């Protein structure tokens, strides 16, 4: 498990596969430990939002392609990236407001 911590918010916990996906969205190496410093919090938020937008656009493309071919639209399976990053995005926002770094340990 990976645990993201901040003095400004409750811990956010991810299973290893989910943590890898979130760290990739952040543009971070999948290290067992790391930090997102206060100065990097706005960029981290933008990176997560951009990753969510890209994921949503890719799925919308699949839906449009299926509809164009007269096939039923695909359905999302499991937890979406948008759902997965929401707690961490909230932590990043609170941490920025409280001027606190975010660390993770896995």
């Amino acid at each position: 498990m990976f645990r993201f911590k901040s003095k400004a918010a409750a811990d956010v916990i991810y299973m290893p596969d989910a943590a890898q996906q979130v760290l990739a969205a952040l543009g971070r190496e999948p290290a067992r430990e790391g930090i997102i410093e206060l100065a990097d919090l706005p960029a981290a938020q933008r990176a997560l939002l951009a990753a969510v937008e890209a994921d949503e656009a890719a799925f919308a493309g699949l839906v449009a392609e299926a509809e164009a071919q007269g096939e039923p639209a695909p359905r999302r399976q499991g937890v979406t990236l948008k759902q997965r990053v929401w707690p961490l995005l909230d932590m990043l926002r609170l941490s920025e407001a409280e001027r606190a770094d975010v660390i993770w340990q896995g």
Side-chain angles (χ1 to χ4, degrees):
M1 291 190 327
F2 281 72
R3 183 179 306 265
F4 287 77
K5 298 180 179 189
S6 170
K7 292 178 182 177
D11 292 359
V12 176
I13 299 171
Y14 292 108
M15 297 304 289
D17 289 345
Q20 301 296 332
Q21 183 183 27
V22 170
L23 290 170
L26 285 167
R28 300 290 179 125
E29 292 295 320
R32 300 295 290 171
E33 295 180 343
I35 185 169
I36 305 170
E37 295 178 336
L38 176 61
D40 297 327
L41 291 175
Q45 292 171 55
R46 287 190 302 273
L48 288 179
L49 291 172
V52 167
E53 286 180 25
D55 182 64
E56 294 291 320
F59 184 72
L62 292 174
V63 169
E65 183 179 319
E67 289 174 352
Q69 295 178 3
E71 297 175 0
R75 296 179 54 125
R76 289 276 193 171
Q77 300 295 316
V79 178
T80 66
L81 183 61
K82 183 177 183 177
Q83 293 167 321
R84 180 159 285 144
V85 302
W86 178 82
L88 183 58
L89 191 55
D90 192 44
M91 174 186 272
L92 296 175
R93 289 179 181 139
L94 291 169
S95 297
E96 182 179 16
E98 295 292 323
R99 305 190 51 74
D101 296 334
V102 173
I103 63 167
W104 75 83
Q105 298 171 325

